[in-house]
């Protein structure tokens, strides 16, 4: 089959690779009809996530048709011919974390748990196409994928909805929604979202759906800010204004009630010298993150507010404002998304027209053009917000 693979830092390559096979009785094989390039894939390509190997199949946002199921998958759960969306965390459904619906913290699905434990203190779930730190599972930017624990993960799509309407249930829509949900949004709340990429856009939409009085979008790309403004959110360009000062103006001097970091470890900063400081430290590996968005969210949030972190972080950062966090009674909430918890409720919101995931799609390319897609996406060419790949 054809698959998009990691070929070294700053390089991906579509290659012929072996077709996946059933390895465990709870596996399924899915013929992929749609997949996508995610912002967190760029962390792998840019070399900031360790344990990638040449030939690793990328991609953790995918859906398709079940063409084979293992003997341990109940027929009432999944059958050949079912149309499914596959969540990016691989979860067993039986451990203490899964019982608590903390699916991305599953204790049983990462065969390289020892590596993750050294990095994070405790193991994390296996993830499709996201380094050997999270299990080394082949990803979904391919024609076919093996789905472990298929009786737990995939969501059957029985409604008459297009792939584009439901594909992002695999990751970015639940991630954005969880970011807003962790804020405990009240009707009077002003919510500020750092990052107007796909996850940030969905965090904004979710904050609105959950009842926020005002949602503020913070980014520097005019096309992203236009997209947010067209969806009813207030744009703030950090290249043009001081973000904290502008947020104080928009909130009567108090700061946003709730702040969401949808950027993560490769943030940029409106001030050249501050941006250069963290970029140099990251380049020489004296820190792994550029945490501008997180620092700014903590410093900008009103006292007693909530900072929700859904941007990906993988290691260690410098100059974390612990004093502001502690002394101003801020609540910090975070986590890789527990996608399985949100898939069905969000499918219902899509069916009712409360959320429109298709609004962020700007490009659709064949799988064989994945390398060009990564280049367009990474360099924000052609006003690129989100790319869907068709195998």
């Amino acid at each position: 089959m054809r698959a998009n693979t990691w070929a070294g830092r700053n390089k991906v390559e579509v290659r012929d690779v072996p077709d996946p096979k059933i390895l465990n009785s709870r596996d399924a094989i899915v013929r992929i009809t749609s997949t996508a390039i995610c912002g967190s894939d760029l962390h792998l390509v840019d070399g900031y996530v360790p344990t990638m190997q040449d030939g690793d199949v990328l991609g953790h946002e995918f859906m398709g048709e079940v063409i084979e199921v293992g003997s341990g998958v109940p027929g009432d759960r999944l059958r050949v011919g079912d149309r499914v969306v596959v969540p990016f965390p691989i979860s067993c459904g039986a451990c203490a974390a899964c019982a608590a619906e903390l699916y991305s913290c599953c204790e049983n699905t990462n065969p390289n748990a020892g590596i993750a434990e050294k990095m994070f203190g405790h193991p994390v779930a296996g993830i499709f196409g996201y380094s050997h730190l999270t299990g080394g599972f082949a990803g979904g930017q391919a024609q076919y994928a093996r789905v472990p624990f298929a009786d737990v993960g995939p969501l059957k799509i029985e409604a008459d909805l297009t792939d584009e309407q439901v594909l992002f249930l695999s990751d970015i829509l639940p991630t954005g929604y969880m970011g807003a949900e962790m804020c405990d949004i009240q009707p009077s709340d002003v919510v500020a979202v750092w990052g107007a990429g796909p996850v940030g856009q969905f965090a904004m939409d979710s904050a609105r759906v959950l009842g926020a009085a005002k949602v503020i979008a913070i980014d520097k790309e005019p096309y992203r800010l236009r997209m947010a403004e067209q969806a009813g959110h207030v744009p703030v360009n950090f290249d043009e204004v001081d973000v904290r000062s502008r947020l104080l103006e928009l909130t009567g001097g108090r700061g946003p009630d709730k702040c969401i970091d949808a950027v993560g470890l490769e943030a940029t900063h409106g001030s050249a010298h501050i941006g250069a400081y963290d970029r140099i430290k990251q380049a020489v590996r004296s820190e792994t993150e550029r945490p501008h968005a997180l620092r700014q969210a903590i410093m900008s949030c009103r006292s007693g507010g909530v900072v929700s972190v859904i941007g990906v972080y993988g290691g260690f950062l410098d100059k974390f404002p612990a004093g502001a966090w502690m002394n101003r009674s801020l609540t910090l909430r975070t986590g890789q998304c527990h996608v399985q918890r949100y898939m069905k409720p969000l499918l219902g919101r899509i069916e009712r027209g409360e959320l429109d995931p298709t609004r962020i799609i700007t490009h659709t390319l064949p799988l064989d053009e994945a390398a060009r897609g990564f280049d367009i996406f990474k360099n924000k060419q052609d006003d690129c917000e989100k790319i869907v790949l068709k195998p």
Side-chain angles (χ1 to χ4, degrees), residues 48 220 238-239 266-287 289-292 295 318-319:
Y48 295 122
K220 70 170 184 174
F238 67 74
D239 265 355
E266 291 190 74
T268 57
H269 196 280
S271 170
H273 68 281
I274 295 176
Y277 170 83
D278 277 298
R279 188 173 287 277
I280 292 168
K281 290 202 70 174
Q282 189 182 53
V284 300
R285 298 300 189 264
S286 60
E287 68 174 346
E289 335 287 284
R290 298 198 302 266
H292 306 303
R295 292 181 190 132
D318 188 16
K319 292 181 170 54

Side-chain angles (χ1 to χ4, degrees), residues 256-339:
D257 302 282
K258 312 292 165 61
C259 296
I260 300 174
D261 170 7
V263 179
L265 65 89
E266 291 190 74
T268 57
H269 196 280
S271 170
H273 68 281
I274 295 176
Y277 170 83
D278 277 298
R279 188 173 287 277
I280 292 168
K281 290 202 70 174
Q282 189 182 53
V284 300
R285 298 300 189 264
S286 60
E287 68 174 346
T288 57
E289 335 287 284
R290 298 198 302 266
H292 306 303
L294 179 57
R295 292 181 190 132
Q296 206 167 66
I298 290 171
M299 297 302 292
S300 300
C301 191
R302 71 155 170 85
S303 295
V306 175
V307 177
S308 170
V309 183
I310 50 175
V312 172
Y313 290 90
F316 303 93
L317 54 83
D318 188 16
K319 292 181 170 54
F320 177 82
W325 171 38
M326 184 270 169
N327 286 288
R328 295 198 297 107
S329 300
L330 297 177
T331 298
L332 186 64
R333 292 179 178 149
T334 187
Q336 285 278 11
C337 185
H338 311 299
V339 176

Side-chain angles (χ1 to χ4, degrees), residues 4-259:
N4 187 40
T5 63
W6 191 85
R9 189 177 179 192
N10 295 318
K11 185 179 180 182
V12 301
E13 184 177 320
V14 178
R15 302 171 176 171
D16 290 314
V17 303
D19 290 358
K21 298 179 180 179
I22 296 286
L23 300 179
N24 183 285
S25 64
R26 294 174 69 183
D27 288 351
I29 304 297
V30 173
R31 179 182 65 83
I32 296 168
T33 56
S34 294
T35 183
I37 300 173
C38 183
S40 55
D41 289 332
L42 299 182
H43 305 323
L44 304 177
V45 174
D46 291 345
Y48 295 122
V49 177
T51 72
M52 290 297 293
Q53 297 178 12
D54 185 27
D56 285 348
V57 179
L58 297 168
H60 56 271
E61 297 178 299
F62 62 97
M63 65 175 294
E65 178 188 354
V66 177
I67 62 168
E68 188 178 356
V69 294
S71 60
V73 178
D76 60 347
R77 181 67 187 88
L78 210 62
R79 294 178 182 273
V80 170
D82 283 343
R83 183 176 176 230
V84 296
V85 178
V86 180
F88 80 81
I90 303 169
S91 307
C92 74
C95 68
C98 288
E101 295 190 311
L102 301 174
Y103 297 105
S104 70
C105 298
C106 178
E107 299 165 349
N108 291 325
T109 57
N110 187 349
N112 296 328
I115 301 175
E117 191 170 332
K118 289 178 181 178
M119 280 289 293
F120 304 135
H122 292 273
V124 293
I127 295 176
F128 291 103
Y130 213 78
S131 85
H132 293 263
L133 183 66
T134 59
F137 292 96
Q141 290 172 9
Q143 292 177 307
Y144 300 91
R146 180 178 75 93
V147 179
F149 297 95
D151 53 327
V152 177
L155 174 69
K156 286 194 284 188
I157 304 298
E158 297 170 314
D160 186 21
L161 298 168
T162 66
D163 278 16
E164 286 74 14
Q165 287 176 287
V166 296
L167 171 61
F168 303 136
L169 288 169
S170 59
D171 175 7
I172 57 174
L173 181 56
T175 296
Y177 188 88
M178 188 174 106
E181 185 187 70
M182 288 191 296
C183 289
D184 290 335
I185 292 170
Q186 303 302 309
S188 62
D189 279 349
V190 176
V191 179
V193 179
W194 275 257
V199 170
Q201 298 281 349
F202 286 153
M204 297 172 212
D205 291 352
S206 299
R208 182 198 67 235
V209 163
L210 292 173
K214 181 189 294 183
V215 181
I216 301 169
I218 303 164
D219 206 291
K220 70 170 184 174
E221 301 298 332
Y223 72 91
R224 287 180 164 188
L225 292 171
R226 282 195 303 271
M227 182 177 283
E229 189 171 25
Q230 288 166 2
H233 312 308
V234 179
V236 172
N237 188 324
F238 67 74
D239 265 355
E240 298 176 353
V241 298
D242 178 75
V243 171
R244 183 174 172 275
S245 298
R246 180 63 178 140
L247 291 175
L248 290 174
E249 292 173 6
L250 291 169
T251 58
R254 295 177 65 238
D257 302 282
K258 312 292 165 61
C259 296

